[in-house]
Amino acid sequence: MEKMVFEETELRLGLPGNNKKKNNEKKRGFSETESETESDENNNSDETSNTTVDLLLNLSSPKKEANKNNNNGVVAENHSSPNNNKEKNLLPSDPAKPPAKAQVVGWPPVRSYRKNMFAVQKSSTEESQKNEKNNNNGNGNGSFVKVSMDGAPYLRKVDLKNYNSYPQLSDALGKMFSSFTIGSCESEGMKDFFMNERALMDLLNNSDYVPTYEDKDGDWMLVGDVPWEMFVESCKRLRIMKGKEAIGLAPRAMEKCKNRS
Amino acid sequence: MKKAAYSFPEEVLEHVFSFIVSDKDRSSISLVCKSWYEIERWCRRKVFVGNCYAVSPPILIKRFPELRSVTLKGKPHFADFNLVPEGWGGFACPWIRAMAGAYPWLEEIRLKRMVVSDESLEIIAKSFRNFKVLVLSSCEGFTTEGLAAIAANCRNLRELDLRESEVEDLSGRWLSDFPDSYTSLESLNISCLGNEVNLLALERLVSRCPNLKTLRLNRAVPLDRLPNLLRGAPQLAELGTGAYTSEMRPDVFSNLAEAFAGCKQLKTLSGFWDVLPSYLPAVNPICSQLISLNLSYATVQSPDLIKLVSLCEKLQKLWVLDYIEDDGLEVLAASCKDLRELRVFPSDPFGLEPNVALTEQGLVSVSEGCPKLQSVLYFCRQMSNAALNTIARNRPNLTRFRLCIIEPRSPDYLTLQPLDDGFGAIVEHCKDLRRLSLSGLLTDRVFEYIGTYGKKLEMLSVAFAGDSDLGLHHVLSGCDNLRKLEIRDCPFGDKALLANAAKLETMRSLWMSSCSVSFGACKVLGQKMPRLNVEVMDESGPPDSRPESSPVEKLYVYRTVAGPRLDMPGFVWTMDDDSALRIS
């Protein structure tokens, strides 16, 4: 019964994947998940990089980087400088175009407040008005939040409106902070979605870093907790904290979910 | 002081100098002789500092003791596109503190891309009795509390313009802090604010300021309040609407149309967020008098845009989304013969496929139909050398040409060749070109053209272009008037940079990110050129923890008389001759 109700608001650590291929993108019970693991992997073959865990700030998967450099039909070689060593993990380029292209920082050169004109048009006028009223993060056309990472010397800022989904945000965060990742960020990967508190605890114990955010109520939540639009509206600040510390958030997060349902 | 027989008394010279307004001319005057330098510096009232780190507050104050107006720019231009990390610099506070002490009669402060705190705003509010103009363009770091201090204290304020700044909007109450006795407002731009301002306070403010000429509202001001505001300020010349949508009620439209019709002086329109197309025609009564129209937030389709634009026969400046499409630009070209500036922004910059029928043809049409076109900013997804050639020949009077082909390194879509020749035609024919932004597939050859023909070029932006150092060398050695050069993701490295080190002292600044400039070369440059600040930015750690040959992430070089700056964050290092590496 709990499982039914969770739907949109269920707790998970894995970022809601770019699940265009699946009908039911929301969580199933833990046991269901296990049995579906294989089919998940099949479905996600193009998208593993999207659904998994850059949450744990692994360096972006080489596959994504290759896709980024794969300009369709352009003849020129990639002239990126040796500086972009990360991007040179060249895998044979993926013939299928990725659904969401990884964004190059600062390109095209559009100011942040101009970035979501298309998105605005897509949603209904009413909805966008509602979003605007709720957005008090400063610039009415942007949604800047500070991002801190435990152990990193400097804060960054991101405009949540630059992204349309958790995987995009996670990708950006991973890039921003990859230079500060201390030690190995290995993990099992977040291919599975967890609903079960025990499993969640296990995961947190094994992760190095987990993104969390402060919402409008002042509570610290795990990123991925709520649907993307709701997250953008309610997120005031992001903090990438050590997995072990985030364990304290899990029960509260679960509580909030239950309250919502 | 010896006076030659033919020299004038100081007062006369001063009077003559007061007619000389341009910075360049003032600078020339000051170089004539020592006495002219002295007289000029005492009567200089206005100063523009293009890079706040090129000079320091004490130096400025020492030379110009009687300023009334100061303009400062902070971060490099690429900060607009998130290429400059948080905390880089551009802090206004030291300047404002210093000026508070030195210039009690300061009237105008204009800042661009600087970090301004509430504390700074409070200092401004309390220190300058005759303060009149505050323009904060693309600034950040302050909240509405700082604005409240300005509103409450600046009795003689004429202009408050927050254009494109990032303001932490805590509450809309600050507007009510303008006292009831305050009536001198001439220009108000709050378009960047996120929250609702106190609408009653706004209405009262607007109606009691008879000289209000410019009013740019924020998105949160609902459309149905606009007629009232307009009626309170029929003398308005520039208006930025709030959200341009409302429930469909007949009276809203007619009210609005009537209010617009009452604004006989209205020449400039902007705003138009969330446009409901059926409300657009409310502006029709004034279209024939409009000279500037900013529809870059108006997500409406081409037919609606066409209906509007075709009525604006006096239009000189149009900013619009690519929803206008080639068809709409053709109508623009036919209707607006006075057009000087066109900017077409992308509605879906990150989409993989084109979402609108806007191609190079639209720009070609406008270049054919609009004889006065001088300034272009155009985002599109395909371009050809033929089109660029046509544009160049049609419009040799272009002074600013910024083309952004959205996919990096896109070739001529017809021939699959680089776009070297097309851009070459632009620089060759447009002899007065001052600003150029390149995109698409480009080899070193385009830079050869630029170096050869771009003699008046002052600002060049380059991304994902070129093959080798030769490209950079062409530009640095050929462009005599180059002031600002910003480059990202190009294979330019040490050789061209070091060979043209002296050139860098004649420019305001050079930005290079994701290129191939080595740390070693940066050190050499810093050591050899004491009047340059060579700043290396690297967020992955101190550059000296890597081999000298490894490329630096970001390089920002600028000329300065103030020495290395002292406010650098941990990820910025100055290469200077004191120590090869100093970590701040």
Side-chain angles (χ1 to χ4, degrees), chain B residues 141-162:
Chain B
F142 59 102
T143 77
T144 40
E145 290 305 305
L147 297 179
I150 299 283
N153 294 290
C154 299
R155 298 289 147 87
N156 294 309
L157 193 72
R158 304 249 174 93
E159 190 173 329
L160 178 61
D161 186 339
L162 305 176

Side-chain angles (χ1 to χ4, degrees), chain A residues 47-206:
Chain A
E47 299 171 329
T48 38
S49 51
N50 286 336
T51 53
T52 64
V53 156
D54 284 351
L55 188 66
L56 298 186
L57 300 175
N58 292 322
L59 290 181
S60 305
S61 71
K63 187 176 212 171
K64 248 203 284 201
E65 297 302 340
N67 286 338
K68 193 200 308 181
N69 289 331
N70 187 17
N71 301 316
N72 26 315
V74 170
V75 171
E77 289 181 71
N78 184 354
H79 281 290
S80 3
S81 67
N83 193 28
N84 296 334
N85 278 323
K86 292 182 264 183
E87 296 181 22
K88 279 200 165 175
N89 296 339
L90 295 173
L91 292 186
S93 36
D94 191 338
K97 245 195 273 181
K101 194 171 179 183
Q103 292 174 20
V104 177
V105 176
W107 191 267
V110 176
R111 303 283 303 271
S112 332
Y113 54 80
R114 292 196 181 283
K115 274 180 183 168
N116 287 292
M117 299 281 85
F118 193 51
V120 166
Q121 214 216 4
K122 275 201 288 201
S123 64
S124 74
T125 313
E126 208 184 295
E127 203 185 300
S128 63
Q129 275 182 322
K130 184 164 55 114
N131 283 342
E132 284 316 311
K133 287 213 173 84
N134 286 330
N135 174 19
N136 55 5
N137 276 323
N139 187 324
N141 293 320
S143 215
F144 283 92
V145 297
K146 294 194 174 153
V147 188
S148 61
M149 173 161 152
D150 290 359
Y154 343 108
L155 282 190
R156 302 305 302 271
K157 258 205 234 177
V158 286
D159 181 357
L160 294 178
K161 299 240 163 133
N162 283 348
Y163 312 101
N164 293 319
S165 65
Y166 282 115
Q168 282 184 16
L169 174 64
S170 148
D171 183 41
L173 290 179
K175 290 210 183 72
M176 238 181 255
F177 289 100
S178 60
S179 39
F180 299 124
T181 307
I182 304 161
S184 75
C185 265
E186 307 226 339
S187 80
E188 294 286 284
M190 305 282 279
K191 295 196 175 71
D192 302 319
F193 298 111
F194 296 93
M195 220 185 87
N196 177 302
E197 202 174 310
R198 177 176 49 90
L200 180 61
M201 297 303 186
D202 280 348
L203 186 72
L204 288 172
N205 271 317
N206 292 329

